[in-house]
Amino acid sequence: MTDAPRLVDMTLRDGMHAVDHQFTPEQMADIASALDDAEMDVVEVSHGDGMGGSSINYGFAAASTEEYLEAVAPELTDTELSVLLLPGIGTVEELDMAADHGADICRIATHVTEADISQDHFEYVKDRGLEANGLLMLSHMAEPEVVLEQAQLMESYGADAVYVMDSAGALLPQDVRDRVGLLKDELSIDVGFHAHNNLGLAVGNSLAALDEGADTIDGCLRGLGAGSGNTQMEVLVGALERAGYDVGPDLYGVMDAAEDVLLPMLSEDTMPELDNDSLTLGYAGVYSSFLRHARREGKRYGVDPRDILVELGEMEVVGGQEDLITDVAERLANEGAATAEADD
C-alpha cells in the first residue's frame, strides 16, 4: 500500500458557496459528526470566503464563524479542525477567536502572485500555536517557476504546507504535475493540491498531484462547491483505495455522510453540475465563486453569463473583484443594445 495522503474535507467551507453560505450551525454539526465518524483527517469550517467573509460583498452567512465553530468543535474527536483566512478579509480578532474555539489549522490564502502580503498572518498563526498552511489561489495564472517563488516566500514566513489551488478548475493534468512536482522538488515542507471540476478533471488532477508526491488533497462531499464543485470526496476516497493508497477515512462512512446526511439538506439548484456555465469558468480561467453572480447579473441585464465569464477571464480578474461582474454585464448589455439599434 502507498502512504496515505492527508484528506481535507471542505464541505463546510468551500461547499458553502453552493448553498449561498446558508448552512446552519446545526446542519454543520450534523455533517461534521458524520465526517468524524468516517475518520476524516481534517474538516474546514468558515464562510466560503473565509473568516470575515460574511458581508454584502461576499454574501451573508446564516450564522457567524464563532457560532459555526461552537457547533462543530464538540463533534470532532480525532478529526482536526481547520479555518480559512484571506488577508484583507479576515482579522486578527477572528484568528484569536478560532484558536480559542479549538481550531488546529489556519489556512492562509492569497492570489498566486501575492504571497508577500501574508507574512504577518503566518507569524501570528504560528505564535498562536496553530498549524499554518498557505494557499496559492488561481495557480493557473502563473507559470510553475512563479508558483515556486511564491511558495518559497510562504515557506520562509513559517508555512507548514503550501497548496497549489486550481480555483477556476482550469489546470490540465500536466499543468498540475509541473507545479506540484516543482514544489515537491524544491520545498522542504508539505505540498497540497485543491481542485475544482470545471473541466471534469478534479479527481484525475488530484491523482496527478499525488503521482508527483503531493502530501494532502482537498475535497467536498458530493463535490459541493463553487462552480461545478470541488473534488468529490467520496469518489476521491474510493479512487485512492483502488489506486493502492492507504487512505485514512472510511469509504462507506464518507459515502454515508454524503448520501444520508448532506444530500437531504440540499435543493436541486445547489447540487454541483458540470454545465455550460461552469465549463466556461474552466475554459476562461475565472474563479469558481463568480458563477452564481454571473448567472444573476446575466439574467438581470439580459446577457449570456458565458459572455460575462469569458470577458472576466480576459481581464484576469481575481477573488475580491466580484464587483466587476455587474460592470461587465451592464457594459455588454449596453453594447448589445447599441449594436441592435445600429442594425435597425
Side-chain angles (χ1 to χ4, degrees), residues 54-172:
S54 182
S55 64
I56 192 169
N57 286 338
Y58 302 106
F60 289 104
S64 68
T65 301
E66 183 172 16
E67 290 171 313
Y68 287 136
L69 293 175
E70 287 176 344
V72 168
E75 303 298 328
L76 304 181
T77 52
D78 295 327
T79 298
E80 291 185 293
L81 176 59
S82 172
V83 293
L84 176 72
L85 182 140
L86 276 66
I89 298 178
T91 65
V92 67
E93 289 79 14
E94 285 156 334
L95 277 173
D96 284 334
M97 179 275 297
D100 292 342
H101 282 75
D104 303 291
I105 303 163
C106 180
R107 307 210 301 178
I108 301 165
T110 75
H111 182 60
V112 66
T113 59
E114 297 177 355
D116 59 348
I117 69 173
S118 63
Q119 181 171 359
D120 291 343
H121 303 79
F122 278 105
E123 291 175 353
Y124 194 83
V125 169
K126 298 292 286 187
D127 286 344
R128 283 304 313 254
L130 275 64
E131 179 182 329
N133 294 338
L135 312 180
L136 293 172
M137 300 186 293
L138 293 169
S139 286
H140 75 281
M141 287 189 172
E143 293 299 315
E145 294 75 18
V146 175
V147 178
L148 173 62
E149 291 171 1
Q150 299 296 305
Q152 288 172 327
L153 283 178
M154 287 184 165
E155 182 180 32
S156 73
Y157 302 154
D160 297 293
V162 175
Y163 284 69
V164 173
M165 298 278 285
D166 187 15
S167 313
L171 292 176
L172 301 176

